[in-house]
Amino acid sequence: MSAGTTPGAPALGGKIKRVAAASAAAMFVGEAVSLVQTIVLARLLTPAEVGLFAAGTILTMFLSDMSESGLRAGLVHRERDVADAAETVFRGTIVTGLVMSLGAFAAAPLVGLAFDDAAVGAIAAVCSGALFLHALTNVPEAMLQRQFSVKRRLVVGPLVSISFAVTAVTLALLGYGVWSLVAGSYVSYVVWLAGLWAITDWRPGRGRATWQMWRELVRYGFPVTVNFVGARTQQAIEAVAVGRGLSTTDLGFYRYATRISRLPVNAIVDIVANALFPAFSRIAEDGQRLRASYLRALGSVTVFAVVVSGLIIAAGESAVVVLLGEPWRAAGAAVVAMAGLGIGKAFVSVSEEAIKGSGRTRMLNWLTGIEFVVGVASLVLIIPFGLLGVGLAISTTALTAGVVGLYLSRSAVGVSARDMVAVIVPPLAAGTVAVAAVFVLEHQVLHSDAHGLLFGFLLLVVDVLAFLAVYAAALAVVARGTVRTVVLPLLRSRAK
């Protein structure tokens, strides 16, 4: 980033680094808690019970992003009349959230019919109220993101993860089965809402809501909403296809496979979205800074996404068996098939934030359409191969969307294809070497899934350390610049 060329650049760069560091720290805590509660719940609940929860929450998951109608993104991006914009978003999303909650409650029996299970319908009805709670988070989330809030990352995020884990595990131990997950989700929503409102200094009534403002925000945010809806629709189709086409037990395997696969992916996306979107929005008029920032961000997320996808390919199935137990081996195989999520979603996340930051949100419609068509088509073609086929369809879709996102963001930001290839290919090449080495190590030497939890976990640590060592060595050979600009600064920041 050419920080010295534009006034205010060092301050903005410092804010980005603080938010990214805070997001990384919160990510570590949150993902650690999520991983532990996933392991514990997998040993307390059956795959069928997890599948019931996945089926029962399919509608609320689909509608949750629609409750903001892209208005949150519009509020983050806006430079003028922010008080009026915030008031407009607050009132609009409250109405939308209430309508969504009532609609989801009324449609709950249809969800039960879709899965041919009355329990699924009951879970859908109980979970419908979460949509209204979600709507109440939109404005404080947006205002804190505008301010590059560190408290949001360090305090609220981990508290949400901990509240869900404590509630769900406690009730599961008491024998409440799938309802322990329902209660955990509600408690986490309440903690999320209370935490946001406790740390934000924004309050309703400080601006004036107008139809003109609403139309301006919707005009900007509509493609963002379409993008959200497309992703949720694709996930809903996947869940219904697995639940009806295979079985509720397979849906439980699918739920935990996607959860485990997305834990590190969501961390990458969360850091990128919270640090880069407001930053790209502020420097959109400075083409040189925008291009430099985009390439640096793309190179950084590629380095870390390769670690995620590479480790999943090399030792993903063994890790699931060690952590969750032998009954979940099918989920482990699905996790390996979903390895493309890491790299694909990393590309998509940087591309989306660059497109939104540049103000050209209509480009997202192309990304949404292509991702949806490829996702549904690949699912239809591959689902006859069972859960493994579903995982491959998810990877194929993510990688395709990633490539399309890079193509679209290239014109939005104004970078050349050669520059993009220069920051992407070296980590991919180094990762390929590391994957080959650790795959042989795990499957020919260590066999961590043949041991108990403690010893198996220690062997998995050996896999991780071996991967990082080989990856770093390969990067030092094929991409010294990447090591100098990405890896070494990270190590120095950890040492401080």
Side-chain angles (χ1 to χ4, degrees):
M1 186 181 298
S2 303
T5 62
T6 305
L12 181 60
K15 289 179 179 179
I16 296 173
K17 290 178 181 178
R18 285 196 298 272
V19 173
S23 296
M27 171 204 73
F28 178 79
V29 175
E31 300 307 291
V33 172
S34 295
L35 180 60
V36 171
Q37 62 94 355
T38 298
I39 294 171
V40 175
L41 289 174
R43 295 174 182 272
L44 295 175
L45 304 176
T46 66
E49 288 173 320
V50 176
L52 283 176
F53 180 71
T57 55
I58 188 172
L59 188 58
T60 52
M61 291 291 292
F62 174 75
L63 295 174
S64 61
D65 291 316
M66 292 180 64
S67 66
E68 64 174 275
S69 303
L71 297 178
R72 184 198 297 179
L75 178 56
V76 174
H77 184 264
R78 195 168 185 85
E79 290 287 346
R80 55 186 176 82
D81 302 324
V82 175
D84 292 345
E87 189 69 22
T88 301
V89 173
F90 179 69
R91 297 189 185 187
T93 54
I94 280 184
V95 173
T96 304
L98 181 59
V99 171
M100 293 291 182
S101 285
L102 294 175
F105 181 80
L110 298 178
V111 178
L113 289 175
F115 288 93
D116 194 23
D117 195 320
V120 171
I123 294 170
V126 173
C127 290
S128 61
L131 291 169
F132 182 69
L133 297 178
H134 183 275
L136 294 174
T137 67
N138 285 318
V139 174
E141 280 277 17
M143 299 303 283
L144 291 169
Q145 189 174 357
R146 285 180 59 87
Q147 299 164 8
F148 296 89
S149 172
V150 173
K151 287 183 179 179
R152 164 64 182 92
R153 317 314 318 159
L154 289 177
V155 178
V156 180
L159 283 178
V160 171
S161 299
I162 292 170
S163 64
F164 176 86
V166 171
T167 304
V169 170
T170 300
L171 293 179
L173 284 169
L174 295 175
Y176 284 92
V178 65
W179 294 103
S180 62
L181 299 175
V182 174
S185 65
Y186 260 107
V187 170
S188 65
Y189 266 111
V190 172
V191 170
W192 181 25
L193 185 60
L196 289 177
W197 283 91
I199 65 175
T200 185
D201 57 2
W202 180 86
R203 292 294 181 268
R206 297 178 180 177
R208 186 170 63 92
T210 64
W211 282 109
Q212 180 180 352
M213 178 67 71
W214 183 83
R215 287 194 295 268
E216 290 178 8
L217 292 167
V218 168
R219 190 178 303 116
Y220 172 88
F222 182 73
V224 179
T225 300
V226 173
N227 183 258
F228 282 148
V229 172
R232 293 300 191 191
T233 302
Q234 182 184 332
Q235 292 172 14
I237 291 173
E238 290 170 1
V240 172
V242 174
R244 285 300 299 259
L246 300 176
S247 68
T248 304
T249 298
D250 283 319
L251 184 57
F253 290 138
Y254 162 85
R255 170 78 175 197
Y256 264 24
T258 54
R259 181 176 180 79
I260 292 169
S261 298
R262 291 180 185 275
L263 277 175
V265 173
N266 289 342
I268 294 174
V269 172
D270 187 62
I271 293 172
V272 168
N274 284 283
L276 294 185
F277 175 34
F280 285 156
S281 297
R282 301 298 178 270
I283 62 176
E285 301 301 322
D286 189 337
Q288 183 178 353
R289 288 184 66 199
L290 182 61
R291 287 190 293 272
S293 299
Y294 172 82
L295 288 173
R296 178 172 294 182
L298 181 60
S300 299
V301 299
T302 302
V303 167
F304 297 111
V306 167
V307 174
V308 171
S309 292
L311 281 171
I312 286 176
I313 293 173
E317 182 175 353
S318 298
V320 171
V321 174
V322 169
L323 298 176
L324 306 189
E326 183 63 35
W328 291 88
R329 182 174 288 275
V335 165
V336 176
M338 296 177 190
L341 270 175
I343 295 174
K345 288 299 183 183
F347 291 167
V348 168
S349 63
V350 176
S351 301
E352 285 182 348
E353 304 316 321
I355 291 170
K356 290 191 294 183
S358 68
R360 302 173 67 178
T361 55
R362 290 186 179 180
M363 283 187 170
L364 295 177
N365 293 333
W366 287 98
L367 180 59
T368 301
I370 292 173
E371 187 172 10
F372 181 79
V373 171
V374 172
V376 174
S378 59
L379 183 65
V380 170
L381 292 173
I382 302 179
I383 197 171
F385 296 95
L387 196 59
L388 188 64
V390 175
L392 291 173
I394 290 173
S395 281
T396 300
T397 304
L399 292 170
T400 302
V403 172
V404 173
L406 292 177
Y407 175 79
L408 294 173
S409 62
R410 182 173 66 89
S411 59
V413 178
V415 298
S416 68
R418 177 178 297 180
D419 288 338
M420 295 174 69
V421 169
V423 299
I424 290 173
V425 171
L428 292 176
T432 301
V433 175
V435 167
V438 176
F439 188 90
V440 172
L441 175 66
E442 167 59 27
H443 295 279
Q444 299 298 322
V445 180
L446 299 182
H447 301 289
S448 60
D449 55 345
H451 302 278
L453 177 60
L454 180 58
F455 190 58
F457 180 78
L458 293 176
L459 293 177
L460 289 174
V461 171
V462 173
D463 284 331
V464 173
L465 294 177
F467 186 96
L468 295 177
V470 175
Y471 185 45
L475 274 177
V477 173
V478 302
R480 292 183 180 180
T482 300
V483 175
R484 184 175 63 254
T485 59
V486 177
V487 179
L488 292 181
L490 176 67
L491 295 176
R492 292 193 191 105
S493 67
R494 295 293 186 191
K496 291 181 180 180

